[in-house]
């Protein structure tokens, strides 16, 4: 994974919550790269650690171990090693958009203040430059200058998410983590926000980590996909290859449901048989083995590391041979 094109290289990342004998292993030895200019999808069931990865990259939580090497315009920096004050200047470069835009907007602040506050944090667009910059931001996300005088409750869900996006863009990031940005929106609005994200990404040259449980949107929007299960990466692949030919039994299970043309019935992460094991007491060996239809006795003793089976295609499964055929460990 020595890709010169990487914006972020995540290596051996861990986040354990709580101390003692059984901490919650929300993220457990996760490695993947995010390439400059790509939209990388991060999928997995609820509780698999997706949000925690997003919060680690934006240093809203501190990692337990591992590296997150960010190579922006300056020298490569391991985000994991930075103190909060050392990280602060990078906050303008790395922004996060949340699922519920309403919860992340102060109800007593006009949109002008919301955006001004973001600009002030990084000393941007001061004085006479402020007003035109706020107008420009609103226009970039499909809102109008007069919207600046309104309060969050005066907007629809889709408009609020546009404000969330404008606030992220205000500080001129090059990397955006979008954590389920569509989940709180009506289906009819979701496509507009997806298209907006896609357009902005192209126009502003952004790199996007798109966290979602909507497999159809991920297929539409993302260049590559990381499949997460119980804090572990199961598979990484270019989107087309992943959807055409999932290699890992977990990915196969996720994609088993056929696409449904009705947008209101889009494919989302299906409920697999049995419960997700507790990340405080994960299964030995491969963490998926307790729900895996292909599990072998050997899968309980050790997990297969993530291996590259074909260019760009990585999977962590004993069953997969060098060309993707099923083999025994
Ligand atoms: P996802 O976004 O995929 O649904 P999360 O990253 O939110 O998953 O959570 C992964 C696991 O970590 C879950 O078991 C969750 O309960 C746990 N977790 C997340 N945040 C905390 C926290 N602040 N304290 C303790 N456990 C947490
Ligand atoms: Mg989440």
């Amino acid at each position: 994974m020595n890709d010169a094109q990487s914006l972020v290289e995540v290596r051996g990342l861990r986040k354990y919550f709580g101390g003692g004998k059984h901490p919650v292993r929300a993220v457990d030895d996760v490695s993947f790269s995010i390439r400059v200019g790509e939209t990388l999808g991060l999928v997995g069931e609820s509780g698999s650690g997706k949000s925690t990865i997003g919060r680690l990259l934006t240093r809203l939580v501190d990692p337990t171990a591992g590296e997150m090497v960010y190579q922006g315009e300056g020298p490569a920096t391991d985000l994991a090693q930075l103190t909060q004050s050392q990280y602060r200047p990078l906050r303008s470069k790395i922004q996060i958009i949340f699922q519920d835009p309403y919860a992340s907007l102060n109800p007593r602040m006009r949109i002008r203040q919301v955006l001004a506050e973001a600009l002030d944090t990084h000393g941007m667009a001061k004085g006479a430059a402020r007003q035109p910059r706020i107008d420009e931001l609103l226009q970039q996300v499909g809102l109008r200058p007069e919207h600046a005088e309104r309060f969050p409750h005066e907007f629809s869900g889709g408009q609020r998410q546009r404000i969330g996006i404008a606030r992220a863009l205000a500080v001129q990031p090059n990397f955006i983590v979008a954590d389920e940005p569509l989940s709180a929106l009506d289906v009819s609005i979701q496509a507009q926000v997806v298209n907006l994200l896609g357009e902005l990404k192209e126009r502003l040259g952004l790199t996007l980590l798109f966290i979602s449980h909507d497999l159809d949107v991920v297929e539409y929007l993302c260049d590559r996909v990381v499949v997460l299960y119980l804090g572990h990466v199961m598979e990484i692949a270019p989107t087309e290859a992943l959807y055409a030919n999932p290699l890992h039994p977990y990915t196969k299970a996720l994609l088993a449901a056929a696409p449904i043309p009705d947008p209101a019935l889009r494919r989302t992460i299906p409920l697999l048989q049995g419960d997700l094991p507790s990340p405080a007491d994960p299964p030995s060996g491969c963490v998926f083995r307790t729900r895996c239809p292909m599990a072998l006795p050997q899968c309980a003793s050790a997990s297969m590391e993530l291996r590259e089976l074909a260019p760009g295609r990585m999977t962590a499964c004993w069953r997969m041979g060098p060309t993707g055929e099923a083999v025994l460990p």
Side-chain angles (χ1 to χ4, degrees):
M1 287 218 293
N2 228 339
D3 192 347
Q5 296 280 338
S6 291
L7 183 67
V8 185
E9 287 270 357
V10 173
R11 294 190 205 111
L13 187 63
R14 292 176 202 268
K15 178 61 188 182
Y16 293 180
F17 289 106
K21 268 208 165 88
H22 293 287
V24 174
R25 302 175 179 202
V27 175
D28 207 2
D29 196 9
V30 161
S31 301
F32 63 92
S33 63
I34 305 169
R35 297 178 188 158
V36 173
E38 81 172 336
T39 300
L40 181 68
L42 184 56
V43 305
E45 281 162 279
S46 175
S48 58
K50 303 181 300 295
S51 293
T52 302
I53 290 176
R55 294 164 65 82
L56 287 165
L57 285 165
T58 47
R59 286 298 300 268
L60 296 172
V61 295
D62 293 330
T64 303
E67 300 175 11
M68 304 182 283
V69 178
Y70 168 83
Q71 170 91 69
E73 282 137 37
T77 309
D78 182 359
L79 303 176
Q81 294 296 324
L82 302 180
T83 63
Q84 285 293 337
S85 67
Q86 288 168 328
Y87 185 84
R88 199 164 299 131
L90 281 168
R91 279 202 190 286
S92 70
K93 293 290 149 207
I94 306 173
Q95 284 283 302
I96 186 163
I97 300 168
F98 296 102
Q99 171 176 340
D100 182 354
Y102 199 53
S104 68
L105 292 170
N106 182 337
R108 280 178 287 277
M109 277 165 78
R110 292 180 199 276
I111 301 315
R112 166 180 313 290
Q113 291 169 277
V114 169
L115 297 177
E117 190 183 63
L119 292 167
D120 281 336
T121 315
H122 295 277
M124 291 175 166
K126 292 184 195 156
R130 172 81 26 119
Q131 173 78 33
R133 178 65 177 143
I134 288 175
D135 290 353
E136 178 187 43
L137 285 165
L138 290 171
Q139 182 250 323
Q140 271 181 341
V141 299
L143 296 171
R144 293 191 304 277
E146 58 266 33
H147 285 132
E149 304 314 323
R150 298 193 193 160
F151 291 95
H153 75 264
E154 298 178 73
F155 293 93
S156 68
Q159 287 175 321
R160 282 178 206 143
Q161 193 53 285
R162 288 172 193 270
I163 295 162
I165 295 168
R167 181 175 53 183
L169 294 179
V171 295
Q172 296 181 294
N174 58 16
F175 176 42
I176 291 187
V177 175
D179 188 359
E180 312 242 15
L182 311 175
S183 304
L185 305 179
D186 285 349
V187 170
S188 58
I189 305 297
Q190 289 182 5
Q192 296 173 17
V193 175
V194 169
N195 290 334
L196 176 66
L197 281 172
E199 275 167 39
L200 289 169
K201 195 216 117 190
E202 291 304 321
R203 178 140 44 102
L204 304 173
L206 303 171
T207 300
L208 203 60
L209 180 66
F210 186 77
I211 298 174
S212 179
H213 63 263
D214 186 326
L215 297 169
D216 287 332
V217 171
V218 167
E219 183 175 17
Y220 173 75
L221 191 68
C222 299
D223 301 300
R224 294 190 308 133
V225 181
V226 175
V227 180
L228 205 63
Y229 181 81
L230 210 68
H232 295 256
V233 174
M234 299 287 110
E235 181 160 3
I236 302 176
T239 307
E240 238 183 273
L242 186 91
Y243 281 71
N245 179 25
L247 296 181
H248 196 283
Y250 180 58
T251 321
K252 287 183 201 286
L254 291 187
L255 293 173
I260 301 165
D262 182 345
L265 300 172
R266 273 206 314 257
R267 258 186 314 181
T268 55
I269 299 282
L271 284 174
L272 299 189
Q273 269 198 332
D275 293 329
L276 189 70
S278 164
D281 188 17
S284 64
C286 172
V287 288
F288 184 55
R289 69 174 170 85
T290 55
R291 296 164 89 194
C292 180
M294 296 169 76
L296 302 158
Q298 295 91 319
C299 298
S301 40
S303 62
M304 173 48 95
E305 62 189 80
L306 201 59
R307 294 170 302 158
E308 188 159 23
L309 294 189
R313 295 214 65 170
M314 323 246 321
T315 186
C317 179
W318 286 111
R319 286 280 201 169
M320 289 299 134
T323 54
E325 82 281 10
V327 293
L328 300 180

